Amino acid sequence: MDSPSHGQGGDGLYGRIVMVTGAARGIGRAIAERVQAAGAQVCIVDCDREPGEALALALSEKYPDRPAGFCLANLEKLEDIDAAVKHFASTHGRVDVLVNNAGIEIDKPFEEVTPSDWDRIEAVNLRAPFFLTQRMLPFFPSSGGAVINISSIHSTHAFKNATVYACSKAALIALTRNLALELAPRHIRVNALCPGYIDTHLWEVYVRSSPDPESLAAWTTALHPLGRRGVPEDVAQAALFLATNASSFITGTQIVVDGGLTVRTHP
């Protein structure tokens, strides 16, 4: 016999309020667009004002009955996290889904990593999701909701020059599992998504900066059994699933969105 669900109604997000961090571009933007299309009202948090405000305006014009909001915040700074929460409280007062998407990466050999590199990566990729979730807890309704952390295949698979990033994303999986246990009594589900190679603006910049962009693009495409790299919408669709009642009995786990890359037995 099915049990009543908590925190989301139906398979859509009508009437729900969703905060998405790092939503000005890439995966975060695709998630914001997808959940808004599914009926939610989105609050965009990003450290880049111009594209963030432009996205909020575009979504508001497309869905005037539930205008999107924008909050400028550098999540590396705890004071900006507190300011974002204060802004959210004054403009919305309730959250149903929190998507901790904001993240930064560094491509550097282990022996060249500095303490400041470590501190910056861990601050944005791990500390920010921890304390933003903690500070947003009072705004979840008693019926519950969902937290979605955007991790990476780096959390379980090793890649050259990515040690600090991998540590932050692996720790984010541990945070996901522990919060799922701690927040279950509040009916808040906590899950993670682990994208593989996704064609975002940052990925395009990385490819163009390589000595042989065409070879790098071809090699990374060939890594995927499905025959292509991912696009932000692939991750957004998975996020929508975790945000809605379609996943009402799923918590404390991670969904890999990588076109089969990590099931290969060799590179």
Side-chain angles (χ1 to χ4, degrees):
M1 179 178 179
D2 292 338
S3 299
S5 58
H6 297 275
Q8 309 298 331
D11 290 343
L13 290 171
Y14 290 96
R16 306 297 173 179
I17 298 174
V18 180
M19 175 187 278
V20 185
T21 68
R25 293 189 176 91
I27 291 172
R29 180 188 179 101
I31 293 173
E33 291 173 334
R34 190 66 192 88
V35 298
Q36 185 93 2
Q41 183 177 16
V42 176
C43 177
I44 297 160
V45 179
D46 204 281
C47 62
D48 200 340
R49 181 187 295 276
E50 186 173 345
E53 289 184 337
L55 176 59
L57 178 61
L59 291 176
S60 298
E61 290 177 344
K62 190 172 183 179
Y63 307 100
D65 59 318
R66 41 196 159 86
F70 172 73
C71 178
L72 181 69
N74 177 0
L75 298 182
E76 184 180 352
K77 303 175 181 178
L78 288 174
E79 57 267 31
D80 275 26
I81 292 174
D82 289 335
V85 172
K86 183 177 180 180
H87 172 83
F88 185 88
S90 66
T91 55
H92 296 286
R94 189 190 89 239
V95 67
D96 298 286
V97 181
L98 170 62
V99 183
N100 288 308
N101 166 75
I104 54 176
E105 192 169 355
I106 186 172
D107 182 39
K108 184 179 283 190
F110 168 72
E111 62 271 21
E112 296 179 13
V113 173
T114 66
S116 61
D117 292 332
W118 173 274
D119 290 345
R120 183 165 181 260
I121 295 291
E122 299 301 317
V124 176
N125 295 0
L126 181 61
R127 188 177 68 183
F130 183 102
F131 285 107
L132 185 59
T133 303
Q134 182 191 71
R135 284 153 169 73
M136 289 295 290
L137 272 182
F139 303 105
F140 279 90
S142 60
S143 56
V147 175
I148 303 169
N149 295 321
I150 307 302
S151 182
S152 168
I153 58 172
H154 284 261
S155 64
T156 55
H157 288 69
F159 295 85
K160 187 178 179 181
N161 297 342
T163 301
V164 179
Y165 179 76
C167 287
S168 70
K169 292 301 185 178
L172 191 57
I173 295 297
L175 177 64
T176 298
R177 291 174 60 83
N178 281 271
L179 286 185
L181 180 63
E182 290 209 38
L183 301 187
R186 299 173 181 243
H187 309 300
I188 298 173
R189 298 178 295 106
V190 187
N191 293 289
L193 293 175
C194 295
Y197 286 100
I198 307 295
D199 284 343
T200 63
H201 172 71
L202 289 178
W203 169 250
E204 292 172 2
V205 170
Y206 175 70
V207 171
R208 288 198 302 267
S209 67
S210 70
D212 190 347
E214 289 187 7
S215 294
L216 178 59
W219 177 73
T220 52
T221 297
L223 288 175
H224 301 77
L226 290 184
R228 67 174 176 89
R229 293 188 303 275
V231 293
E233 289 73 19
D234 292 321
V235 186
Q237 288 284 15
L240 178 65
F241 168 69
L242 291 177
T244 67
N245 194 49
S247 60
S248 63
F249 202 54
I250 299 175
T251 194
T253 193
Q254 60 266 12
I255 296 176
V256 178
V257 187
D258 72 346
L261 186 154
T262 55
V263 302
R264 294 175 62 96
T265 57
H266 58 81

